[in-house]
Amino acid sequence: MMPKSVEETQKALEAHRYIADKGLSVAVFLALKLGRPLLLEGEPGVGKTEIVKVLAEMLSTRLIRLQCYEGLDISNAVYEWDYARQLLQIRLLEASGERDQEKVRHEVFSQEFLLKRPLLQALESQNGKAPVLLIDELDRADEEFEAFLLEFLSDWQITVPEVGTLKAERPPVVVITSNRTREIHDALKRRCMYYWIDYPSFEKEYRIVQEKVPGVPEKLAQQAVAFVQELRKQDLYKAPGVAETLDWASSLLALGQTELSPEVIEETLGVLLKYQDDVVKAKNQARDLLARAQMSI
């Protein structure tokens, strides 16, 4: 169901276990209300992808995901022809005595043999509902693909030369994410509502842990969140995101821990940090970081 206000949007997200601050709720509400794509930027692991899954649940519609990468092309993002089935169909037509080349061409280049990829799928509504389209990590794709996307987001239509122009009856809800490994072009940004998702405050991250990792002891949850907050202040190659905090809380719970100790931290740092230099650095500072974390609670 489409929320009718910012407050309703925030409550609907929370009802689906996504803790959003007011600024993000405003951006989501306006994107839905105005039918504009939503561009979310932020460090990896701060919940950019998660909110898209929640939006699809909230609107009771399907989620279509396009994962971007270097070299992403039209055949993987939009459509390609099922050449094996087309060849088989041509042989069947020849075997049946069909010699009209125009009729054969018309038949094998019909939508029946079109393999629809995420962008083309996103133009199709189901049960009167437009899908939610996640274009994930657009900064990984080439600029040429970004230019194509600009046209798609303007007209909500795609032209397949052999078939014609396919247009959305209802434009999809589009969310684009970027980890900002490169700048997204200004022309694309202008078409989007923009929001930067930062690392959460202690209070917000503690609420997220309570919501996503039920059963974790209160003291352990507070210590874990405070430790991660201290860890993010260090000069690390890759600071832990919220996703890593949740994994760590789940791991500590699975190990039967009720509170943090320097030994437990050292043994489980691999859940939080993914680079050996960062792990070594954190191990050397584990006692100090834990002491500071406990003082901040």
PDB file of all heavy atoms in Angstrom, residues 37-40 49 52 63-68 72 77 118-119 122 132-139 141 145-146 149-150 152-153 156 172-178 188:
ATOM      1  N   PRO A  37      12.929   8.260  -9.707  1.00  0.00           N
ATOM      2  CA  PRO A  37      13.899   7.273  -9.206  1.00  0.00           C
ATOM      3  C   PRO A  37      14.578   7.807  -7.940  1.00  0.00           C
ATOM      4  O   PRO A  37      14.734   9.024  -7.771  1.00  0.00           O
ATOM      5  CB  PRO A  37      14.909   7.164 -10.355  1.00  0.00           C
ATOM      6  CG  PRO A  37      14.206   7.691 -11.553  1.00  0.00           C
ATOM      7  CD  PRO A  37      13.269   8.741 -11.061  1.00  0.00           C
ATOM      8  N   LEU A  38      14.964   6.900  -7.060  1.00  0.00           N
ATOM      9  CA  LEU A  38      15.648   7.277  -5.817  1.00  0.00           C
ATOM     10  C   LEU A  38      17.098   6.807  -5.908  1.00  0.00           C
ATOM     11  O   LEU A  38      17.341   5.616  -6.105  1.00  0.00           O
ATOM     12  CB  LEU A  38      14.947   6.610  -4.627  1.00  0.00           C
ATOM     13  CG  LEU A  38      15.583   6.809  -3.239  1.00  0.00           C
ATOM     14  CD1 LEU A  38      15.603   8.288  -2.857  1.00  0.00           C
ATOM     15  CD2 LEU A  38      14.808   6.010  -2.189  1.00  0.00           C
ATOM     16  N   LEU A  39      18.017   7.755  -5.813  1.00  0.00           N
ATOM     17  CA  LEU A  39      19.445   7.413  -5.845  1.00  0.00           C
ATOM     18  C   LEU A  39      19.989   7.428  -4.423  1.00  0.00           C
ATOM     19  O   LEU A  39      19.964   8.466  -3.754  1.00  0.00           O
ATOM     20  CB  LEU A  39      20.201   8.418  -6.716  1.00  0.00           C
ATOM     21  CG  LEU A  39      21.740   8.331  -6.684  1.00  0.00           C
ATOM     22  CD1 LEU A  39      22.225   6.964  -7.141  1.00  0.00           C
ATOM     23  CD2 LEU A  39      22.354   9.426  -7.572  1.00  0.00           C
ATOM     24  N   LEU A  40      20.464   6.271  -3.980  1.00  0.00           N
ATOM     25  CA  LEU A  40      21.011   6.151  -2.629  1.00  0.00           C
ATOM     26  C   LEU A  40      22.514   5.934  -2.717  1.00  0.00           C
ATOM     27  O   LEU A  40      22.979   5.016  -3.401  1.00  0.00           O
ATOM     28  CB  LEU A  40      20.374   4.966  -1.884  1.00  0.00           C
ATOM     29  CG  LEU A  40      18.860   5.047  -1.646  1.00  0.00           C
ATOM     30  CD1 LEU A  40      18.369   3.762  -0.998  1.00  0.00           C
ATOM     31  CD2 LEU A  40      18.504   6.244  -0.770  1.00  0.00           C
ATOM     32  N   THR A  49      20.714  -1.569  -0.046  1.00  0.00           N
ATOM     33  CA  THR A  49      20.001  -2.641  -0.746  1.00  0.00           C
ATOM     34  C   THR A  49      18.820  -3.145   0.084  1.00  0.00           C
ATOM     35  O   THR A  49      17.758  -3.458  -0.448  1.00  0.00           O
ATOM     36  CB  THR A  49      20.961  -3.810  -1.047  1.00  0.00           C
ATOM     37  OG1 THR A  49      22.067  -3.305  -1.802  1.00  0.00           O
ATOM     38  CG2 THR A  49      20.274  -4.901  -1.835  1.00  0.00           C
ATOM     39  N   VAL A  52      15.431  -1.489  -0.319  1.00  0.00           N
ATOM     40  CA  VAL A  52      14.712  -1.804  -1.559  1.00  0.00           C
ATOM     41  C   VAL A  52      13.894  -3.085  -1.378  1.00  0.00           C
ATOM     42  O   VAL A  52      12.738  -3.162  -1.825  1.00  0.00           O
ATOM     43  CB  VAL A  52      15.700  -1.955  -2.734  1.00  0.00           C
ATOM     44  CG1 VAL A  52      14.930  -2.088  -4.036  1.00  0.00           C
ATOM     45  CG2 VAL A  52      16.631  -0.761  -2.803  1.00  0.00           C
ATOM     46  N   LEU A  63      10.193  -7.726  -6.672  1.00  0.00           N
ATOM     47  CA  LEU A  63      11.455  -6.996  -6.737  1.00  0.00           C
ATOM     48  C   LEU A  63      12.270  -7.545  -7.902  1.00  0.00           C
ATOM     49  O   LEU A  63      12.478  -8.751  -8.012  1.00  0.00           O
ATOM     50  CB  LEU A  63      12.229  -7.169  -5.422  1.00  0.00           C
ATOM     51  CG  LEU A  63      13.681  -6.679  -5.413  1.00  0.00           C
ATOM     52  CD1 LEU A  63      13.753  -5.179  -5.610  1.00  0.00           C
ATOM     53  CD2 LEU A  63      14.366  -7.068  -4.102  1.00  0.00           C
ATOM     54  N   ILE A  64      12.727  -6.649  -8.769  1.00  0.00           N
ATOM     55  CA  ILE A  64      13.603  -7.030  -9.883  1.00  0.00           C
ATOM     56  C   ILE A  64      14.949  -6.377  -9.635  1.00  0.00           C
ATOM     57  O   ILE A  64      15.015  -5.175  -9.370  1.00  0.00           O
ATOM     58  CB  ILE A  64      13.016  -6.546 -11.219  1.00  0.00           C
ATOM     59  CG1 ILE A  64      11.676  -7.250 -11.473  1.00  0.00           C
ATOM     60  CG2 ILE A  64      13.990  -6.821 -12.368  1.00  0.00           C
ATOM     61  CD1 ILE A  64      10.921  -6.698 -12.667  1.00  0.00           C
ATOM     62  N   ARG A  65      16.007  -7.164  -9.695  1.00  0.00           N
ATOM     63  CA  ARG A  65      17.339  -6.633  -9.359  1.00  0.00           C
ATOM     64  C   ARG A  65      18.282  -6.694 -10.551  1.00  0.00           C
ATOM     65  O   ARG A  65      18.397  -7.735 -11.203  1.00  0.00           O
ATOM     66  CB  ARG A  65      17.931  -7.443  -8.203  1.00  0.00           C
ATOM     67  CG  ARG A  65      19.322  -6.987  -7.801  1.00  0.00           C
ATOM     68  CD  ARG A  65      19.768  -7.688  -6.541  1.00  0.00           C
ATOM     69  NE  ARG A  65      21.076  -7.237  -6.107  1.00  0.00           N
ATOM     70  CZ  ARG A  65      21.584  -7.474  -4.906  1.00  0.00           C
ATOM     71  NH1 ARG A  65      20.882  -8.134  -4.016  1.00  0.00           N
ATOM     72  NH2 ARG A  65      22.784  -7.030  -4.592  1.00  0.00           N
ATOM     73  N   LEU A  66      18.911  -5.587 -10.824  1.00  0.00           N
ATOM     74  CA  LEU A  66      19.964  -5.544 -11.838  1.00  0.00           C
ATOM     75  C   LEU A  66      21.275  -5.221 -11.127  1.00  0.00           C
ATOM     76  O   LEU A  66      21.461  -4.107 -10.636  1.00  0.00           O
ATOM     77  CB  LEU A  66      19.658  -4.467 -12.888  1.00  0.00           C
ATOM     78  CG  LEU A  66      20.762  -4.226 -13.925  1.00  0.00           C
ATOM     79  CD1 LEU A  66      21.022  -5.489 -14.734  1.00  0.00           C
ATOM     80  CD2 LEU A  66      20.397  -3.075 -14.847  1.00  0.00           C
ATOM     81  N   GLN A  67      22.156  -6.215 -11.032  1.00  0.00           N
ATOM     82  CA  GLN A  67      23.458  -6.015 -10.404  1.00  0.00           C
ATOM     83  C   GLN A  67      24.434  -5.471 -11.448  1.00  0.00           C
ATOM     84  O   GLN A  67      24.671  -6.101 -12.471  1.00  0.00           O
ATOM     85  CB  GLN A  67      23.986  -7.340  -9.831  1.00  0.00           C
ATOM     86  CG  GLN A  67      25.355  -7.229  -9.199  1.00  0.00           C
ATOM     87  CD  GLN A  67      25.362  -6.319  -7.980  1.00  0.00           C
ATOM     88  OE1 GLN A  67      24.547  -6.461  -7.085  1.00  0.00           O
ATOM     89  NE2 GLN A  67      26.283  -5.367  -7.958  1.00  0.00           N
ATOM     90  N   CYS A  68      24.968  -4.294 -11.216  1.00  0.00           N
ATOM     91  CA  CYS A  68      25.858  -3.671 -12.191  1.00  0.00           C
ATOM     92  C   CYS A  68      27.300  -4.143 -12.003  1.00  0.00           C
ATOM     93  O   CYS A  68      27.716  -4.472 -10.888  1.00  0.00           O
ATOM     94  CB  CYS A  68      25.790  -2.152 -12.068  1.00  0.00           C
ATOM     95  SG  CYS A  68      24.173  -1.479 -12.457  1.00  0.00           S
ATOM     96  N   LEU A  72      28.899  -4.496 -18.212  1.00  0.00           N
ATOM     97  CA  LEU A  72      27.467  -4.810 -18.329  1.00  0.00           C
ATOM     98  C   LEU A  72      26.943  -4.256 -19.650  1.00  0.00           C
ATOM     99  O   LEU A  72      27.153  -3.084 -19.981  1.00  0.00           O
ATOM    100  CB  LEU A  72      26.709  -4.154 -17.156  1.00  0.00           C
ATOM    101  CG  LEU A  72      25.183  -4.310 -17.147  1.00  0.00           C
ATOM    102  CD1 LEU A  72      24.790  -5.776 -16.972  1.00  0.00           C
ATOM    103  CD2 LEU A  72      24.562  -3.468 -16.031  1.00  0.00           C
ATOM    104  N   ALA A  77      21.346  -6.650 -19.531  1.00  0.00           N
ATOM    105  CA  ALA A  77      20.511  -5.716 -18.773  1.00  0.00           C
ATOM    106  C   ALA A  77      19.111  -5.558 -19.357  1.00  0.00           C
ATOM    107  O   ALA A  77      18.159  -5.301 -18.625  1.00  0.00           O
ATOM    108  CB  ALA A  77      21.176  -4.339 -18.724  1.00  0.00           C
ATOM    109  N   PRO A 118      16.426  -7.739 -16.718  1.00  0.00           N
ATOM    110  CA  PRO A 118      15.774  -6.911 -15.695  1.00  0.00           C
ATOM    111  C   PRO A 118      15.108  -5.623 -16.177  1.00  0.00           C
ATOM    112  O   PRO A 118      13.974  -5.325 -15.765  1.00  0.00           O
ATOM    113  CB  PRO A 118      16.928  -6.615 -14.723  1.00  0.00           C
ATOM    114  CG  PRO A 118      17.775  -7.830 -14.807  1.00  0.00           C
ATOM    115  CD  PRO A 118      17.727  -8.235 -16.249  1.00  0.00           C
ATOM    116  N   LEU A 119      15.746  -4.827 -17.023  1.00  0.00           N
ATOM    117  CA  LEU A 119      15.131  -3.554 -17.404  1.00  0.00           C
ATOM    118  C   LEU A 119      13.846  -3.768 -18.208  1.00  0.00           C
ATOM    119  O   LEU A 119      12.866  -3.035 -18.040  1.00  0.00           O
ATOM    120  CB  LEU A 119      16.120  -2.694 -18.204  1.00  0.00           C
ATOM    121  CG  LEU A 119      17.333  -2.173 -17.435  1.00  0.00           C
ATOM    122  CD1 LEU A 119      18.136  -1.198 -18.293  1.00  0.00           C
ATOM    123  CD2 LEU A 119      16.921  -1.481 -16.137  1.00  0.00           C
ATOM    124  N   ALA A 122      11.089  -4.940 -15.964  1.00  0.00           N
ATOM    125  CA  ALA A 122      10.571  -3.884 -15.085  1.00  0.00           C
ATOM    126  C   ALA A 122       9.462  -3.068 -15.745  1.00  0.00           C
ATOM    127  O   ALA A 122       8.752  -2.331 -15.066  1.00  0.00           O
ATOM    128  CB  ALA A 122      11.710  -2.953 -14.667  1.00  0.00           C
ATOM    129  N   VAL A 132       9.204  -3.140  -8.173  1.00  0.00           N
ATOM    130  CA  VAL A 132      10.303  -2.311  -7.652  1.00  0.00           C
ATOM    131  C   VAL A 132      11.564  -2.777  -8.377  1.00  0.00           C
ATOM    132  O   VAL A 132      11.867  -3.969  -8.390  1.00  0.00           O
ATOM    133  CB  VAL A 132      10.460  -2.478  -6.128  1.00  0.00           C
ATOM    134  CG1 VAL A 132      11.735  -1.773  -5.654  1.00  0.00           C
ATOM    135  CG2 VAL A 132       9.251  -1.906  -5.402  1.00  0.00           C
ATOM    136  N   LEU A 133      12.269  -1.849  -9.014  1.00  0.00           N
ATOM    137  CA  LEU A 133      13.492  -2.178  -9.747  1.00  0.00           C
ATOM    138  C   LEU A 133      14.696  -1.652  -8.979  1.00  0.00           C
ATOM    139  O   LEU A 133      14.816  -0.443  -8.739  1.00  0.00           O
ATOM    140  CB  LEU A 133      13.457  -1.546 -11.144  1.00  0.00           C
ATOM    141  CG  LEU A 133      14.759  -1.629 -11.954  1.00  0.00           C
ATOM    142  CD1 LEU A 133      15.116  -3.078 -12.267  1.00  0.00           C
ATOM    143  CD2 LEU A 133      14.629  -0.823 -13.251  1.00  0.00           C
ATOM    144  N   LEU A 134      15.578  -2.566  -8.588  1.00  0.00           N
ATOM    145  CA  LEU A 134      16.830  -2.177  -7.928  1.00  0.00           C
ATOM    146  C   LEU A 134      17.964  -2.219  -8.955  1.00  0.00           C
ATOM    147  O   LEU A 134      18.245  -3.270  -9.532  1.00  0.00           O
ATOM    148  CB  LEU A 134      17.138  -3.145  -6.772  1.00  0.00           C
ATOM    149  CG  LEU A 134      18.568  -3.081  -6.205  1.00  0.00           C
ATOM    150  CD1 LEU A 134      18.865  -1.710  -5.599  1.00  0.00           C
ATOM    151  CD2 LEU A 134      18.783  -4.184  -5.156  1.00  0.00           C
ATOM    152  N   ILE A 135      18.576  -1.073  -9.194  1.00  0.00           N
ATOM    153  CA  ILE A 135      19.777  -1.013 -10.036  1.00  0.00           C
ATOM    154  C   ILE A 135      20.939  -0.843  -9.070  1.00  0.00           C
ATOM    155  O   ILE A 135      21.209   0.249  -8.577  1.00  0.00           O
ATOM    156  CB  ILE A 135      19.670   0.149 -11.049  1.00  0.00           C
ATOM    157  CG1 ILE A 135      18.416  -0.040 -11.920  1.00  0.00           C
ATOM    158  CG2 ILE A 135      20.925   0.217 -11.917  1.00  0.00           C
ATOM    159  CD1 ILE A 135      18.112   1.119 -12.837  1.00  0.00           C
ATOM    160  N   ASP A 136      21.579  -1.957  -8.770  1.00  0.00           N
ATOM    161  CA  ASP A 136      22.515  -2.000  -7.644  1.00  0.00           C
ATOM    162  C   ASP A 136      23.957  -1.696  -8.072  1.00  0.00           C
ATOM    163  O   ASP A 136      24.450  -2.259  -9.051  1.00  0.00           O
ATOM    164  CB  ASP A 136      22.456  -3.403  -7.001  1.00  0.00           C
ATOM    165  CG  ASP A 136      22.794  -3.364  -5.529  1.00  0.00           C
ATOM    166  OD1 ASP A 136      22.919  -2.261  -4.968  1.00  0.00           O
ATOM    167  OD2 ASP A 136      22.936  -4.446  -4.930  1.00  0.00           O
ATOM    168  N   GLU A 137      24.598  -0.803  -7.309  1.00  0.00           N
ATOM    169  CA  GLU A 137      26.005  -0.459  -7.515  1.00  0.00           C
ATOM    170  C   GLU A 137      26.257   0.055  -8.941  1.00  0.00           C
ATOM    171  O   GLU A 137      27.125  -0.460  -9.653  1.00  0.00           O
ATOM    172  CB  GLU A 137      26.903  -1.645  -7.178  1.00  0.00           C
ATOM    173  CG  GLU A 137      26.743  -2.086  -5.727  1.00  0.00           C
ATOM    174  CD  GLU A 137      27.670  -3.231  -5.343  1.00  0.00           C
ATOM    175  OE1 GLU A 137      28.088  -3.997  -6.227  1.00  0.00           O
ATOM    176  OE2 GLU A 137      27.989  -3.348  -4.155  1.00  0.00           O
ATOM    177  N   LEU A 138      25.506   1.071  -9.315  1.00  0.00           N
ATOM    178  CA  LEU A 138      25.636   1.645 -10.660  1.00  0.00           C
ATOM    179  C   LEU A 138      27.041   2.163 -10.925  1.00  0.00           C
ATOM    180  O   LEU A 138      27.496   2.191 -12.072  1.00  0.00           O
ATOM    181  CB  LEU A 138      24.620   2.790 -10.834  1.00  0.00           C
ATOM    182  CG  LEU A 138      24.627   3.507 -12.177  1.00  0.00           C
ATOM    183  CD1 LEU A 138      24.319   2.528 -13.318  1.00  0.00           C
ATOM    184  CD2 LEU A 138      23.649   4.667 -12.194  1.00  0.00           C
ATOM    185  N   ASP A 139      27.743   2.559  -9.873  1.00  0.00           N
ATOM    186  CA  ASP A 139      29.106   3.082 -10.048  1.00  0.00           C
ATOM    187  C   ASP A 139      30.063   2.030 -10.602  1.00  0.00           C
ATOM    188  O   ASP A 139      31.145   2.369 -11.082  1.00  0.00           O
ATOM    189  CB  ASP A 139      29.650   3.634  -8.716  1.00  0.00           C
ATOM    190  CG  ASP A 139      29.500   2.650  -7.580  1.00  0.00           C
ATOM    191  OD1 ASP A 139      28.468   1.947  -7.523  1.00  0.00           O
ATOM    192  OD2 ASP A 139      30.407   2.566  -6.731  1.00  0.00           O
ATOM    193  N   ALA A 141      29.238   0.062 -13.178  1.00  0.00           N
ATOM    194  CA  ALA A 141      28.973  -0.072 -14.621  1.00  0.00           C
ATOM    195  C   ALA A 141      29.728   0.996 -15.402  1.00  0.00           C
ATOM    196  O   ALA A 141      30.170   2.001 -14.848  1.00  0.00           O
ATOM    197  CB  ALA A 141      27.470   0.054 -14.878  1.00  0.00           C
ATOM    198  N   PHE A 145      26.688   2.565 -20.289  1.00  0.00           N
ATOM    199  CA  PHE A 145      25.445   1.993 -19.779  1.00  0.00           C
ATOM    200  C   PHE A 145      24.646   3.048 -19.024  1.00  0.00           C
ATOM    201  O   PHE A 145      23.412   3.090 -19.100  1.00  0.00           O
ATOM    202  CB  PHE A 145      25.738   0.803 -18.849  1.00  0.00           C
ATOM    203  CG  PHE A 145      24.486   0.232 -18.245  1.00  0.00           C
ATOM    204  CD1 PHE A 145      23.615  -0.507 -19.020  1.00  0.00           C
ATOM    205  CD2 PHE A 145      24.170   0.461 -16.911  1.00  0.00           C
ATOM    206  CE1 PHE A 145      22.432  -1.008 -18.483  1.00  0.00           C
ATOM    207  CE2 PHE A 145      22.997  -0.036 -16.366  1.00  0.00           C
ATOM    208  CZ  PHE A 145      22.131  -0.770 -17.158  1.00  0.00           C
ATOM    209  N   GLU A 146      25.345   3.920 -18.326  1.00  0.00           N
ATOM    210  CA  GLU A 146      24.673   4.997 -17.596  1.00  0.00           C
ATOM    211  C   GLU A 146      23.896   5.892 -18.568  1.00  0.00           C
ATOM    212  O   GLU A 146      22.798   6.349 -18.268  1.00  0.00           O
ATOM    213  CB  GLU A 146      25.724   5.817 -16.844  1.00  0.00           C
ATOM    214  CG  GLU A 146      25.167   6.596 -15.684  1.00  0.00           C
ATOM    215  CD  GLU A 146      26.266   7.313 -14.932  1.00  0.00           C
ATOM    216  OE1 GLU A 146      27.270   6.666 -14.556  1.00  0.00           O
ATOM    217  OE2 GLU A 146      26.112   8.511 -14.730  1.00  0.00           O
ATOM    218  N   LEU A 149      20.768   4.191 -19.544  1.00  0.00           N
ATOM    219  CA  LEU A 149      19.836   4.216 -18.416  1.00  0.00           C
ATOM    220  C   LEU A 149      19.106   5.559 -18.349  1.00  0.00           C
ATOM    221  O   LEU A 149      17.923   5.613 -17.992  1.00  0.00           O
ATOM    222  CB  LEU A 149      20.625   3.976 -17.120  1.00  0.00           C
ATOM    223  CG  LEU A 149      19.826   3.533 -15.903  1.00  0.00           C
ATOM    224  CD1 LEU A 149      19.075   2.252 -16.196  1.00  0.00           C
ATOM    225  CD2 LEU A 149      20.773   3.349 -14.732  1.00  0.00           C
ATOM    226  N   LEU A 150      19.800   6.611 -18.709  1.00  0.00           N
ATOM    227  CA  LEU A 150      19.209   7.949 -18.699  1.00  0.00           C
ATOM    228  C   LEU A 150      17.982   7.987 -19.610  1.00  0.00           C
ATOM    229  O   LEU A 150      16.939   8.532 -19.250  1.00  0.00           O
ATOM    230  CB  LEU A 150      20.266   8.944 -19.187  1.00  0.00           C
ATOM    231  CG  LEU A 150      19.973  10.420 -18.996  1.00  0.00           C
ATOM    232  CD1 LEU A 150      19.847  10.767 -17.536  1.00  0.00           C
ATOM    233  CD2 LEU A 150      21.095  11.243 -19.628  1.00  0.00           C
ATOM    234  N   PHE A 152      16.197   5.353 -20.579  1.00  0.00           N
ATOM    235  CA  PHE A 152      15.193   4.439 -20.018  1.00  0.00           C
ATOM    236  C   PHE A 152      14.380   5.136 -18.924  1.00  0.00           C
ATOM    237  O   PHE A 152      13.147   5.042 -18.880  1.00  0.00           O
ATOM    238  CB  PHE A 152      15.913   3.204 -19.451  1.00  0.00           C
ATOM    239  CG  PHE A 152      15.012   2.264 -18.679  1.00  0.00           C
ATOM    240  CD1 PHE A 152      14.163   1.391 -19.345  1.00  0.00           C
ATOM    241  CD2 PHE A 152      15.016   2.254 -17.298  1.00  0.00           C
ATOM    242  CE1 PHE A 152      13.337   0.525 -18.636  1.00  0.00           C
ATOM    243  CE2 PHE A 152      14.208   1.388 -16.580  1.00  0.00           C
ATOM    244  CZ  PHE A 152      13.359   0.524 -17.255  1.00  0.00           C
ATOM    245  N   LEU A 153      15.071   5.870 -18.050  1.00  0.00           N
ATOM    246  CA  LEU A 153      14.393   6.521 -16.929  1.00  0.00           C
ATOM    247  C   LEU A 153      13.562   7.719 -17.380  1.00  0.00           C
ATOM    248  O   LEU A 153      12.691   8.181 -16.648  1.00  0.00           O
ATOM    249  CB  LEU A 153      15.429   6.976 -15.890  1.00  0.00           C
ATOM    250  CG  LEU A 153      16.226   5.863 -15.203  1.00  0.00           C
ATOM    251  CD1 LEU A 153      17.264   6.452 -14.273  1.00  0.00           C
ATOM    252  CD2 LEU A 153      15.307   4.918 -14.435  1.00  0.00           C
ATOM    253  N   TRP A 156      10.539   5.489 -19.930  1.00  0.00           N
ATOM    254  CA  TRP A 156       9.978   4.206 -19.465  1.00  0.00           C
ATOM    255  C   TRP A 156       9.582   3.336 -20.654  1.00  0.00           C
ATOM    256  O   TRP A 156       8.497   2.760 -20.693  1.00  0.00           O
ATOM    257  CB  TRP A 156       8.767   4.428 -18.537  1.00  0.00           C
ATOM    258  CG  TRP A 156       9.072   5.280 -17.377  1.00  0.00           C
ATOM    259  CD1 TRP A 156       8.572   6.500 -17.097  1.00  0.00           C
ATOM    260  CD2 TRP A 156       9.980   4.979 -16.304  1.00  0.00           C
ATOM    261  NE1 TRP A 156       9.103   6.994 -15.937  1.00  0.00           N
ATOM    262  CE2 TRP A 156       9.968   6.077 -15.425  1.00  0.00           C
ATOM    263  CE3 TRP A 156      10.810   3.887 -15.997  1.00  0.00           C
ATOM    264  CZ2 TRP A 156      10.750   6.137 -14.283  1.00  0.00           C
ATOM    265  CZ3 TRP A 156      11.577   3.942 -14.847  1.00  0.00           C
ATOM    266  CH2 TRP A 156      11.528   5.057 -14.013  1.00  0.00           C
ATOM    267  N   PRO A 172       7.922   1.580 -13.144  1.00  0.00           N
ATOM    268  CA  PRO A 172       8.355   0.872 -11.937  1.00  0.00           C
ATOM    269  C   PRO A 172       8.870   1.844 -10.878  1.00  0.00           C
ATOM    270  O   PRO A 172       9.215   2.983 -11.186  1.00  0.00           O
ATOM    271  CB  PRO A 172       9.503  -0.013 -12.451  1.00  0.00           C
ATOM    272  CG  PRO A 172      10.015   0.710 -13.660  1.00  0.00           C
ATOM    273  CD  PRO A 172       8.833   1.373 -14.284  1.00  0.00           C
ATOM    274  N   VAL A 173       8.882   1.364  -9.632  1.00  0.00           N
ATOM    275  CA  VAL A 173       9.543   2.127  -8.555  1.00  0.00           C
ATOM    276  C   VAL A 173      11.030   1.800  -8.664  1.00  0.00           C
ATOM    277  O   VAL A 173      11.423   0.639  -8.512  1.00  0.00           O
ATOM    278  CB  VAL A 173       9.006   1.698  -7.164  1.00  0.00           C
ATOM    279  CG1 VAL A 173       9.786   2.400  -6.060  1.00  0.00           C
ATOM    280  CG2 VAL A 173       7.514   2.013  -7.056  1.00  0.00           C
ATOM    281  N   VAL A 174      11.841   2.802  -8.969  1.00  0.00           N
ATOM    282  CA  VAL A 174      13.256   2.548  -9.244  1.00  0.00           C
ATOM    283  C   VAL A 174      14.138   3.084  -8.112  1.00  0.00           C
ATOM    284  O   VAL A 174      14.000   4.240  -7.705  1.00  0.00           O
ATOM    285  CB  VAL A 174      13.687   3.201 -10.579  1.00  0.00           C
ATOM    286  CG1 VAL A 174      15.171   2.968 -10.826  1.00  0.00           C
ATOM    287  CG2 VAL A 174      12.866   2.636 -11.731  1.00  0.00           C
ATOM    288  N   VAL A 175      15.010   2.230  -7.615  1.00  0.00           N
ATOM    289  CA  VAL A 175      16.009   2.647  -6.631  1.00  0.00           C
ATOM    290  C   VAL A 175      17.385   2.300  -7.190  1.00  0.00           C
ATOM    291  O   VAL A 175      17.631   1.160  -7.579  1.00  0.00           O
ATOM    292  CB  VAL A 175      15.806   1.967  -5.271  1.00  0.00           C
ATOM    293  CG1 VAL A 175      16.861   2.465  -4.274  1.00  0.00           C
ATOM    294  CG2 VAL A 175      14.411   2.240  -4.727  1.00  0.00           C
ATOM    295  N   ILE A 176      18.237   3.299  -7.267  1.00  0.00           N
ATOM    296  CA  ILE A 176      19.607   3.112  -7.762  1.00  0.00           C
ATOM    297  C   ILE A 176      20.549   3.269  -6.577  1.00  0.00           C
ATOM    298  O   ILE A 176      20.405   4.200  -5.780  1.00  0.00           O
ATOM    299  CB  ILE A 176      19.947   4.175  -8.831  1.00  0.00           C
ATOM    300  CG1 ILE A 176      18.947   4.092  -9.998  1.00  0.00           C
ATOM    301  CG2 ILE A 176      21.375   4.018  -9.332  1.00  0.00           C
ATOM    302  CD1 ILE A 176      19.013   5.271 -10.959  1.00  0.00           C
ATOM    303  N   THR A 177      21.493   2.345  -6.433  1.00  0.00           N
ATOM    304  CA  THR A 177      22.461   2.479  -5.351  1.00  0.00           C
ATOM    305  C   THR A 177      23.865   2.679  -5.928  1.00  0.00           C
ATOM    306  O   THR A 177      24.169   2.246  -7.047  1.00  0.00           O
ATOM    307  CB  THR A 177      22.484   1.252  -4.420  1.00  0.00           C
ATOM    308  OG1 THR A 177      23.105   0.153  -5.098  1.00  0.00           O
ATOM    309  CG2 THR A 177      21.082   0.865  -3.971  1.00  0.00           C
ATOM    310  N   SER A 178      24.691   3.356  -5.142  1.00  0.00           N
ATOM    311  CA  SER A 178      26.087   3.577  -5.552  1.00  0.00           C
ATOM    312  C   SER A 178      26.966   3.616  -4.306  1.00  0.00           C
ATOM    313  O   SER A 178      26.591   4.221  -3.301  1.00  0.00           O
ATOM    314  CB  SER A 178      26.191   4.894  -6.324  1.00  0.00           C
ATOM    315  OG  SER A 178      27.549   5.275  -6.465  1.00  0.00           O
ATOM    316  N   LEU A 188      22.048  12.150 -14.788  1.00  0.00           N
ATOM    317  CA  LEU A 188      21.273  11.078 -14.156  1.00  0.00           C
ATOM    318  C   LEU A 188      20.839  11.504 -12.758  1.00  0.00           C
ATOM    319  O   LEU A 188      19.699  11.260 -12.344  1.00  0.00           O
ATOM    320  CB  LEU A 188      22.114   9.793 -14.087  1.00  0.00           C
ATOM    321  CG  LEU A 188      21.376   8.549 -13.589  1.00  0.00           C
ATOM    322  CD1 LEU A 188      20.248   8.181 -14.543  1.00  0.00           C
ATOM    323  CD2 LEU A 188      22.324   7.370 -13.444  1.00  0.00           C
TER     324      LEU A 188
END
